[in-house]
């Protein structure tokens, strides 16, 4: 497959780039963080979306070096934002959330998608340690997103990896929640901070009673397990009002912003009231 060959070269040729989509605190309306989403600027095909090449990269194993690059690039970007806003004195006190280790409060978090294959790689923790050390970021600024399917398919030993990450105060999210099959006893035992409700439920919840009930149930489940919730794919004000009524903490979707390049993301953050 041509795509597969091209993909192996894409990293070397620096054809990959990251887009960023804001995650909004539904109480304050402020940007709580960004999710990094990889894009491929292919010399002939043009802009290739991850839905097309991530499955290929997962199948061939090139997701491991690609994922390593994504993690490093996303952390570098976050460090740059932290530095810039600090130097400009632009961090309002209400942006300070949580307690950062090593002095830097995680006023903005960076969420990074981690594929199941990466998650099964024992070098992941060392690699993350290295990045945190190089950038000086506290682990609490970093949030790793693992899909429900990958986390449930992972070996029981994967739980120890999650605990190692938690020791570094790294936050953990379950992505696309509701589309896989979760063992609730396993969910309860894993050190997960956040459930991200899949956008298929959010997109139907205003028109379909069952979807609204699923969203409500996911939010209640998360809260009962001491997790917070991000609703994905928020596109309308009606959905926003419903999510607020259900006590959903955060939202992400076209209503707030599409994924944008780093320059636009910087401007978005700077212009937030
Ligand atoms: O950006 P977009 O909505 O097209 O992303 C499509 C899918 O690709 C989503 O499921 C998203 O989680 C996944 N994805 C985007 N960037 C990355 C990445 O860096 N690593 C992994 N593993 N998946 C990603
Ligand atoms: O990690 P995940 O697979 O959830 O990635 C999010 C994907 O959803 C990205 O491809 C992003 O472009 C897409 N997305 C983000 N917000 C919206 C939205 O409001 N509506 C739709 N249809 N897609 C969205
Ligand atoms: Mn995601
Ligand atoms: Na998702």
């Amino acid at each position: 497959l041509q795509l597969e060959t091209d993909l192996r070269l894409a990293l070397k040729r620096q054809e990959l780039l990251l887009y960023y989509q804001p995650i909004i605190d539904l109480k304050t309306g402020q940007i709580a963080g960004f999710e990094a989403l990889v894009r491929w600027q292919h010399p002939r095909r043009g802009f290739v979306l991850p839905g097309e090449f991530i499955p290929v990269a997962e199948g061939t194993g090139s997701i491991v070096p690609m994922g390593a690059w994504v993690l490093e690039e996303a952390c570098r970007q976050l460090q740059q934002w932290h530095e810039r806003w600090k130097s400009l004195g632009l961090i309002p006190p209400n942006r300070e959330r949580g307690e950062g280790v090593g002095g830097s409060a995680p006023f903005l978090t960076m969420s990074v998608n981690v594929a199941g294959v990466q998650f099964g790689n024992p070098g992941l923790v060392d690699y993350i340690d290295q990045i945190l050390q190089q950038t000086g970021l506290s682990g609490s600024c970093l949030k790793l997103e693992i899909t429900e399917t990958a986390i449930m398919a992972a070996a029981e030993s994967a739980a120890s990896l999650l605990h190692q990450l938690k020791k570094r105060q790294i936050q953990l999210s379950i992505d696309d929640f509701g589309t896989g099959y979760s063992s609730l006893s396993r969910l309860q035992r894993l050190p997960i901070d956040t459930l991200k409700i899949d956008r298929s439920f959010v997109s139907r919840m205003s028109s379909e009673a069952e979807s609204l009930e699923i969203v409500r149930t996911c939010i209640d489940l998360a809260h009962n397990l001491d997790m917070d919730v991000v609703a994905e794919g928020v596109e309308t004000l009606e959905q926003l009002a419903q999510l607020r009524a259900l006590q959903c903490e955060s939202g992400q979707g076209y209503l707030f912003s599409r994924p944008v390049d780093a320059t636009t993301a910087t401007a978005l953050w700077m212009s937030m009231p």
Side-chain angles (χ1 to χ4, degrees), residues 193-208:
D193 302 284
T194 303
L195 287 193
K196 295 190 76 171
I197 301 179
D198 191 72
R199 71 167 181 260
S200 58
F201 304 112
V202 176
S203 70
R204 291 193 301 258
M205 73 178 193
S206 303
S207 59
E208 216 184 78

Side-chain angles (χ1 to χ4, degrees), residues 21 35 37 113 145 175-176 199 232-235 253-254 259:
Q21 187 176 35
E35 178 179 0
L37 294 157
N113 293 284
E145 297 194 0
D175 205 359
D176 304 337
R199 71 167 181 260
E232 301 184 313
V234 183
E235 293 184 349
Y254 296 168

Side-chain angles (χ1 to χ4, degrees), residues 40-264:
W40 183 7
Q41 189 61 62
H42 190 283
R44 292 182 315 280
R45 292 166 201 260
F47 218 55
V48 190
L49 289 171
E52 236 180 294
F53 67 88
I54 292 284
V56 178
E58 283 187 306
T60 62
S62 51
I63 192 75
V64 173
M66 181 185 298
W69 177 83
V70 169
L71 263 169
E72 189 181 348
E73 181 68 13
C75 287
R76 263 205 226 115
Q77 181 60 67
L78 184 62
Q79 180 206 17
Q80 212 176 304
W81 285 338
H82 279 202
E83 292 297 319
R84 178 158 174 202
W85 291 314
K86 266 184 221 158
S87 72
L88 293 173
L90 281 174
I91 305 165
N94 64 354
R95 288 271 163 83
E96 307 264 346
R97 52 187 79 232
E99 65 304 307
V101 282
S104 74
F107 62 91
L108 189 67
T109 58
M110 181 65 81
S111 296
V112 177
N113 293 284
V114 177
V117 186
Q118 279 177 280
F119 180 60
N121 181 346
L124 183 66
V125 174
D126 286 343
Y127 187 71
I128 288 176
D129 279 341
Q130 206 179 307
I131 294 173
L132 292 179
Q133 203 181 3
Q134 278 166 10
T135 56
L137 289 172
S138 100
S140 55
C141 299
L142 182 61
K143 207 156 178 169
L144 302 184
E145 297 194 0
I146 305 153
T147 64
E148 181 184 23
T149 307
I151 211 163
M152 289 301 151
E156 197 60 38
S157 64
S160 90
L161 177 74
L162 294 184
H163 286 285
Q164 279 178 278
L165 294 167
K166 285 313 298 176
K167 269 194 210 134
R168 288 143 176 90
Q169 310 203 320
I170 290 165
Q171 301 182 59
L172 301 169
S173 303
I174 298 194
D175 205 359
D176 304 337
F177 190 78
T179 60
Y181 301 91
S182 272
S183 146
L184 295 184
S185 70
R186 188 140 193 227
L187 196 59
Q188 184 192 24
R189 278 181 290 117
L190 294 174
I192 304 294
D193 302 284
T194 303
L195 287 193
K196 295 190 76 171
I197 301 179
D198 191 72
R199 71 167 181 260
S200 58
F201 304 112
V202 176
S203 70
R204 291 193 301 258
M205 73 178 193
S206 303
S207 59
E208 216 184 78
E210 290 91 344
S211 291
L212 181 61
E213 283 315 307
I214 290 171
V215 171
R216 186 200 310 276
T217 303
C218 290
I219 292 171
D220 290 347
L221 173 68
H223 291 169
N224 288 334
L225 294 177
D226 212 18
M227 302 172 186
D228 68 353
V229 182
V230 177
E232 301 184 313
V234 183
E235 293 184 349
T236 69
L237 288 168
E238 191 180 1
Q239 291 162 356
L240 174 61
Q242 287 176 315
L243 291 165
R244 278 193 168 129
L246 295 174
Q247 315 293 327
C248 180
E249 284 83 6
S250 313
Q252 184 178 356
Y254 296 168
L255 178 64
F256 309 112
S257 169
R258 290 179 171 262
V260 293
D261 64 27
T263 307
T264 311

